[in-house]
Amino acid sequence: MEPAGDTMSIAEMLDERRHLLEVAHWMLGSRVAAERVTDEAYREWYGLSDHHRARIRTPRAWLTQTVARISLARFDGVPGAAADTVAGTVGQPERARTGPADHALRSLRARRARPAPPRRQDRIVHSVRQACADEDTAGLLSLLSCDVIAFFDGGGKVRAQTRPVVGSERVARSLVTLLARHPRTTLCAHPVNGRTGLVARYADQVAAVVGLDVAGSRVVRVWVVLNPDKLRSWNRSRS
């Protein structure tokens, strides 16, 4: 079974966003405007139905065309009206999309199993890191509970899963795809919210933070932060 939805490697994900920013900057001549246009293009992408997105063969080309269209529209509109329109839509698709997920998170936290002791957590997280680094899907499967759930927080600013991924096979394939080996990508164990988790870097910048909930000897929950805004504090701490 292939990973569902918008699963892609960190390298592909960041390269796509950088490409869109470059297109918008070339057209508008402003980095701030380029960020806004790129974010708006991703909001349009996530505003499509799952069926519509699945029919788009080359999402990067679709997003590039959308960035170009939005940029051109800024030359033709009244700036104030355009700003009002954008302000009225900022956050709305994201809230609607994450509402059910937020409910699921509260429910899952309420019935979460007793966490594993720190030494066992460390051992399992290091094994997960090695399996992901080796692109060893079978090895990763042996570390996940059969009903493991993974949540991906892209914040609508990169192409990432918008719904929880359920089941060991789908979660394993999603993680292996996301954390695929690349010359500029590194993956290491690192404290995340007081427990051992994983941090993925691309070109020395933190690109993903992965929290892992371990119960018994298996991972039962995975939390992946990909939202560039939420990762700024991680990157500032390194500068």
Side-chain angles (χ1 to χ4, degrees), residues 93-126:
E94 183 68 15
R95 283 199 300 272
R97 193 167 60 251
T98 59
D102 287 342
H103 177 75
L105 290 179
R106 287 193 295 270
S107 174
L108 289 167
R109 284 172 180 152
R111 57 188 175 85
R112 187 167 68 182
R114 183 177 179 180
R119 186 172 297 179
R120 186 186 304 158
Q121 171 88 12
D122 291 351
R123 176 174 56 81
I124 291 174
V125 171
H126 278 84

Side-chain angles (χ1 to χ4, degrees), residues 4-225:
D6 282 325
T7 301
M8 57 198 303
S9 73
I10 283 175
E12 293 173 309
M13 183 183 301
L14 297 184
D15 182 66
E16 176 183 271
R17 181 172 175 84
R18 182 166 51 247
H19 165 73
L20 299 178
L21 287 168
E22 287 173 354
V23 171
H25 182 254
W26 177 75
M27 295 185 70
L28 298 171
S30 163
R31 294 193 180 279
V32 173
E35 288 273 358
R36 291 173 179 166
V37 166
T38 299
D39 290 348
E40 189 173 342
Y42 277 115
R43 282 196 295 272
E44 288 198 19
W45 170 258
Y46 286 117
L48 302 175
S49 67
D50 291 345
H51 177 70
H52 193 164
R53 286 202 304 270
R55 294 180 62 186
I56 297 174
R57 293 186 178 182
T58 9
R60 178 166 169 154
W62 185 94
L63 285 161
T64 301
Q65 292 172 356
T66 302
V67 162
R69 172 176 53 77
I70 296 170
S71 298
L72 287 172
R74 296 205 166 199
F75 290 115
D76 297 334
V78 176
D84 290 342
T85 301
V86 173
T89 59
V90 168
Q92 291 181 8
E94 183 68 15
R95 283 199 300 272
R97 193 167 60 251
T98 59
D102 287 342
H103 177 75
L105 290 179
R106 287 193 295 270
S107 174
L108 289 167
R109 284 172 180 152
R111 57 188 175 85
R112 187 167 68 182
R114 183 177 179 180
R119 186 172 297 179
R120 186 186 304 158
Q121 171 88 12
D122 291 351
R123 176 174 56 81
I124 291 174
V125 171
H126 278 84
S127 296
V128 168
R129 189 209 71 80
Q130 192 62 52
C132 289
D134 294 341
E135 299 184 7
D136 179 8
T137 304
L140 187 55
L141 275 170
S142 69
L143 300 166
L144 305 176
S145 69
C146 61
D147 59 350
V148 62
I149 302 179
F151 299 89
F152 296 81
D153 175 11
K157 293 176 178 290
V158 291
R159 258 195 313 130
Q161 298 278 3
T162 58
R163 296 180 181 177
V165 178
V166 182
S168 56
E169 185 172 348
R170 296 185 71 219
V171 170
R173 289 187 180 276
S174 293
L175 288 177
V176 167
T177 300
L178 176 72
L179 303 172
R181 281 178 293 186
H182 184 275
R184 303 181 72 189
T185 301
T186 60
L187 181 65
C188 63
H190 193 282
V192 176
N193 294 329
R195 305 177 68 191
T196 305
L198 297 172
V199 171
R201 292 185 174 87
Y202 180 76
D204 206 36
Q205 291 291 302
V206 175
V209 173
V210 183
L212 300 163
D213 288 351
V214 178
S217 58
R218 300 289 182 96
V219 176
V220 295
R221 218 80 68 225
V222 181
W223 320 85
V224 184
V225 177

